[in-house]
Amino acid sequence: VIVMRDFPHFHSLNSAGVFFRGSEAARLFLSLMTSRMYWLGIADFDQTAFDQSIIEFLDLWRNAKESGSDFSHSAKCVRFQTPFVDSHAMTDMYLGCWHAFMQQNFGPFGARGGDVNPEAPVWFLNPERVDINYVMGGRATDDDPLVWHLAGKLKSLPNHRGEKFMDVLLKDLWHIPAERRMGEETCSWWESVAEQNASLCSPGTKVVDCRLGHLAAC
């Protein structure tokens, strides 16, 4: 039903690069997620809603599969998504709860994909094999994931030459001459460059601890 990147405990969760199979189950998940996006006090709007909906969706499947199961495991994490008395959400504590749920019910990072849990409604791709959500930030740009995720304002920040970070990165990855002005190129030129560099793709990435003082920064 859902295919997404698996995350080690030292990477923050991220809801980009997620693939859905058109089905009633997928629509149920989206209903779960969108229903909580506007809860008062949640820290990150759609991201917060996605994180909790994933483990609730898995808990629902587990409950239907195993007699005597309940939803207490995923429900325990909800309290960490709401602000504490000082109005700060307890992001790191929530991530710890999320990973504890996954570890207990679906195994460790890198060993809970579709080949291990083929019946589960969520397949977690090991990014060391195929990375479909490589978030830029504290991570290196010399790795070649299947899908780059240039998150937030970073991709539009200009350098000393007035070029955007995304354009500079593409020039480096695709060996484009530095003097080319990316914004002036036609769609056909972009297509030809992409075709020439298609063989350079190496879908897996190194899973390294890139925290910069706070878990959510990585």
Side-chain angles (χ1 to χ4, degrees):
V1 179
I2 303 171
V3 177
M4 61 178 285
R5 184 188 197 267
D6 198 2
F7 293 90
H9 73 276
F10 48 80
H11 284 182
S12 59
L13 305 175
N14 192 279
S15 58
V18 179
F19 299 86
F20 296 90
R21 172 177 290 176
S23 63
E24 289 299 320
R27 283 184 277 275
L28 172 61
F29 173 83
L30 292 173
S31 177
L32 283 173
M33 185 184 73
T34 55
S35 67
R36 65 168 10 106
M37 285 172 60
Y38 296 94
W39 283 12
L40 293 177
I42 61 174
D44 298 309
F45 190 56
D46 58 326
Q47 180 63 59
T48 302
F50 178 84
D51 297 342
Q52 183 61 22
S53 297
I54 282 290
I55 58 176
E56 286 188 359
F57 193 58
L58 288 169
D59 225 1
L60 177 64
W61 172 75
R62 188 175 61 88
N63 180 270
K65 183 181 178 183
E66 301 174 7
S67 60
S69 181
D70 58 48
F71 302 107
S72 62
H73 293 90
S74 61
K76 291 177 181 177
C77 297
V78 174
R79 70 184 189 276
F80 297 124
Q81 288 194 316
T82 55
F84 198 46
V85 290
D86 61 358
S87 78
H88 289 90
M90 299 175 286
T91 306
D92 285 1
M93 295 179 71
Y94 177 79
L95 293 175
C97 187
W98 192 95
H99 285 292
F101 171 88
M102 293 302 306
Q103 178 88 16
Q104 178 180 352
N105 296 286
F106 295 94
F109 164 75
R112 50 192 176 216
D115 52 341
V116 180
N117 298 295
E119 297 181 2
V122 182
W123 282 18
F124 294 90
L125 293 184
N126 183 347
E128 293 178 306
R129 297 172 62 182
V130 179
D131 198 339
I132 58 172
N133 185 12
Y134 188 79
V135 180
M136 296 303 301
R139 300 174 192 169
T141 59
D142 58 356
D143 220 336
D144 293 322
L146 184 63
V147 180
W148 291 88
H149 180 187
L150 300 177
K153 298 179 180 179
L154 176 63
K155 60 181 173 290
S156 300
L157 291 178
N159 63 7
H160 65 283
R161 298 178 57 188
E163 293 182 298
K164 296 179 180 179
F165 175 84
M166 183 174 180
D167 292 344
V168 174
L169 178 61
L170 283 175
K171 284 183 178 182
D172 182 55
L173 291 172
W174 289 357
H175 310 294
I176 298 172
E179 61 271 13
R180 298 298 291 254
R181 305 297 296 181
M182 310 292 271
E184 300 172 0
E185 304 298 346
T186 63
C187 290
S188 58
W189 180 85
W190 276 106
E191 290 174 358
S192 65
V193 172
E195 290 176 358
Q196 293 169 19
N197 291 276
S199 62
L200 298 178
C201 179
S202 175
T205 59
K206 299 176 183 178
V207 177
V208 297
D209 189 342
C210 52
R211 286 174 288 188
L212 301 174
H214 192 275
L215 182 62
C218 182

